[in-house]
């Protein structure tokens, strides 16, 4: 499976954070503006200039209320003052961390007017996303940055369009359907149903490179087919739980079958997170969301949707069982971080720490995380010849992609 970093941040302290300029200022007097983004390794990455410095990369994260930077040292580089301390927790709900507030920081996205906005800096550096995406990522851009503006996301063209809600009608005529949107602390939530008829409320999270994730109270709630697994990385370290297959999940009246899902036991989470789980029970990430064009009408709490040409009823997933991270100059060195049990990679004796030298003669700078995950998501029965470096020795291994989760 792809290695997932759980970054959406929840505030646990009571402190007012806000935009110092009205969100409509982002539009610069226009009805709408368009912001380009890169869709990399399942994440939406935007370029942002801070206090007129050269642009840096942030993940656009609807699952996070506020904008957060991973390195407090960057505040010193910017010459900004950090003030109040606030407690935050990742969407894995398992660990708390402190963060500093930075008031009236000037942020400018490509294509939009610059505005002043309060942001957060973690109290210690964490390389949360660089190694999972394969490029430098300095933080996350939270949904509150956009206030009540409508937010249109086009994954295929790599565009986020910010729309004056007074003119939203002209931008939503092409959509097939409209659905209710529930905002909890500014973060959008949507309704979903499963094949057994159960339904729930899920966080719509563009900061999550996954399909579906849920909290459960015991293994009795797991689907028929599952394995224990490293689910990813949260603010506090590795996140353990289970991988399984949901026979069907439906969002926006659109069905997805054989959905690879992540499950976390609630006894692993902080007690302070229990009220949050009482409000929603799941998370829907980019693996499903990227198969739609949609517009979030945050003011009227509605979402307009239509499946795009990438929509497939049966979801594709990494059939190798390898979880990878990228290191080194320009992130060209790719290492095995974890191996799912029962997977083709497990049966071929891949191990944590193996350095991927080549895959089917693809090597060097052509061998990127994005490319490997595309290869691993091909049809079953595809045989791959992979060379790895282990303890100074080159080993050649063959794996045949297979739906090892059932």
């Amino acid at each position: 499976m792809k290695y997932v970093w759980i970054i959406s941040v929840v505030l646990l302290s009571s402190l007012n954070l806000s935009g110092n300029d009205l969100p409509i200022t982002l539009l610069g007097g226009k009805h709408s503006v368009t912001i380009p983004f890169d869709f990399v390794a399942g994440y939406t990455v935007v370029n942002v200039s801070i206090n007129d410095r050269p642009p840096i990369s942030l993940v656009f994260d609807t699952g996070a209320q506020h904008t957060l930077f991973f390195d407090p040292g960057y505040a010193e580089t910017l010459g900004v003052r950090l003030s109040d301390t606030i407690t935050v927790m990742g969407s894995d709900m398992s660990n708390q961390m402190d963060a500093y507030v930075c008031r009236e920081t000037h942020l400018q996205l490509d294509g939009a007017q610059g505005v002043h906005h309060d942001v957060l800096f973690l109290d210690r550096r964490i390389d949360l996303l660089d190694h999972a995406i394969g490029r430098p990522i300095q933080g996350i851009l939270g949904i509150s940055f956009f206030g009540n503006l409508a937010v249109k996301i086009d994954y295929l063209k790599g565009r986020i369009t910010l729309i004056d809600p007074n003119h939203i009608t002209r931008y939503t005529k092409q959509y097939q359907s409209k659905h209710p949107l529930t905002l909890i602390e500014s973060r959008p939530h949507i309704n979903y149903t499963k094949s057994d008829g159960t339904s729930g409320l899920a966080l719509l999270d563009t900061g999550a490179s996954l399909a579906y994730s849920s909290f459960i109270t015991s293994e009795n709630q797991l689907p028929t087919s599952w394995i224990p697994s490293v689910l990813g990385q949260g603010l506090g370290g590795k996140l353990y739980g289970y991988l399984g297959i949901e026979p069907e999940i439906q969002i926006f009246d659109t069905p997805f079958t054989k959905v690879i899902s992540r499950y976390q036991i609630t006894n692993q989470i902080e007690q302070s997170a229990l009220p949050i789980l009482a409000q929603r029970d799941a998370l829907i990430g980019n693996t499903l969301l990227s198969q739609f064009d949609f517009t979030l009408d945050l003011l009227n709490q509605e979402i307009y949707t239509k499946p795009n040409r990438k929509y497939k009823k049966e979801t594709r997933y990494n059939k190798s069982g390898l979880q990878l991270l990228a290191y080194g100059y320009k992130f060209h060195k790719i290492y095995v971080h974890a191996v799912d049990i029962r997977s083709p990679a497990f049966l071929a004796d891949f191990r944590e720490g193996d350095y991927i030298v080549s895959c089917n003669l693809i090597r060097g700078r052509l061998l990127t995380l994005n490319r490997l995950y595309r290869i691993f998501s091909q049809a079953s029965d595809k045989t791959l010849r992979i060379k790895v470096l282990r303890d100074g020795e080159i080993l050649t291994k063959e794996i045949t992609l297979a739906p090892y989760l059932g």
Side-chain angles (χ1 to χ4, degrees), residues 52-330:
D52 298 319
R53 298 297 181 95
I56 60 174
S57 295
L58 304 181
V59 167
F60 168 52
D61 187 358
T62 57
Q65 183 179 5
H66 297 290
T67 298
L68 173 81
F69 293 91
F70 300 144
D71 184 5
Y74 186 57
E76 184 176 345
T77 301
L78 293 173
V80 298
R81 186 174 68 88
L82 302 179
S83 55
D84 308 274
T85 302
I86 194 168
T87 304
V88 301
M89 180 169 55
S91 59
D92 59 306
M93 307 292 182
S94 59
N95 284 278
Q96 299 181 15
M97 288 187 65
D98 288 334
Y100 301 110
V101 178
C102 182
R103 304 284 185 183
E104 299 190 27
T105 305
H106 186 264
L107 305 179
Q108 182 161 13
L109 282 75
D110 288 350
Q113 185 78 19
V115 296
H116 290 88
H117 197 79
D118 296 344
V119 300
L120 300 172
F121 285 84
L122 288 179
D123 69 341
R124 62 183 184 274
R125 177 181 172 85
I126 294 183
D127 296 322
L128 275 176
L129 283 171
D130 304 49
H131 306 299
I133 293 180
R135 61 186 281 184
I137 301 292
Q138 281 77 22
I140 56 178
L141 183 70
I143 190 64
S144 67
F145 180 76
F146 303 109
N148 283 330
L149 295 178
V151 181
K152 178 180 179 180
I153 303 178
D154 186 331
Y155 286 91
L156 298 185
K157 294 182 179 178
R159 298 193 303 207
I160 298 169
T161 303
L162 306 181
I163 304 167
D164 183 339
N166 294 316
H167 300 277
I168 191 172
T169 303
R170 61 179 289 195
Y171 295 92
T172 55
K173 292 179 180 179
Q174 77 275 27
Y175 289 105
Q176 297 176 357
S177 58
K178 180 174 67 173
H179 306 273
L181 193 67
T182 302
L183 297 185
I184 302 175
E185 296 180 341
S186 302
R187 301 182 302 157
H189 294 70
I190 59 175
N191 298 314
Y192 73 94
T193 58
K194 298 198 294 186
S195 57
D196 61 3
T198 59
S199 61
L201 190 68
L203 177 67
L204 185 154
D205 194 348
T206 61
S209 177
L210 51 79
Y212 172 83
S213 179
S214 180
F215 288 95
I216 58 176
T217 56
S218 74
E219 291 184 356
N220 294 332
Q221 295 174 270
L222 290 168
T224 303
S225 179
W226 59 269
I227 61 170
S229 179
V230 176
L231 298 184
Q233 185 85 7
L235 290 177
K238 282 186 178 181
L239 180 64
Y240 296 92
Y242 307 90
L243 286 177
I245 294 182
E246 287 289 344
E248 182 175 299
I249 291 177
Q250 183 168 291
I251 59 174
F252 312 136
D253 297 328
T254 305
F256 292 91
T257 59
K258 298 182 180 179
V259 179
I260 306 304
S261 305
R262 289 168 164 81
Y263 305 90
Q264 187 178 352
I265 298 288
T266 52
N267 62 16
Q268 299 174 350
I269 72 171
E270 290 275 349
Q271 290 298 306
S272 55
L274 293 177
I276 298 171
L277 293 185
Q279 297 173 315
R280 53 99 168 169
D281 54 16
L283 180 154
I284 302 291
N286 281 327
T287 301
L288 301 188
L289 296 177
S290 63
Q291 298 183 57
F292 294 89
D293 293 335
F294 61 85
T295 294
L296 301 168
D297 183 354
L298 299 173
L299 180 62
N300 297 303
Q301 298 194 31
E302 295 174 325
I303 181 169
Y304 297 82
T305 69
K306 66 174 182 179
N308 62 33
R309 59 182 171 82
K310 293 291 187 181
Y311 167 70
K312 300 289 185 184
K313 185 176 181 180
E314 184 173 330
T315 56
R316 299 175 65 187
Y317 68 97
N318 173 3
K319 300 181 181 69
S320 71
L322 289 171
Q323 299 188 30
L324 306 175
L325 294 177
Y327 291 87
Y329 178 66
K330 294 190 176 180

Side-chain angles (χ1 to χ4, degrees), residues 333-347:
K333 293 186 176 181
I334 299 174
Y335 290 86
V336 175
H337 185 76
V339 182
D340 289 339
I341 65 170
R342 300 207 313 253
S343 70
F346 179 83
L347 298 176

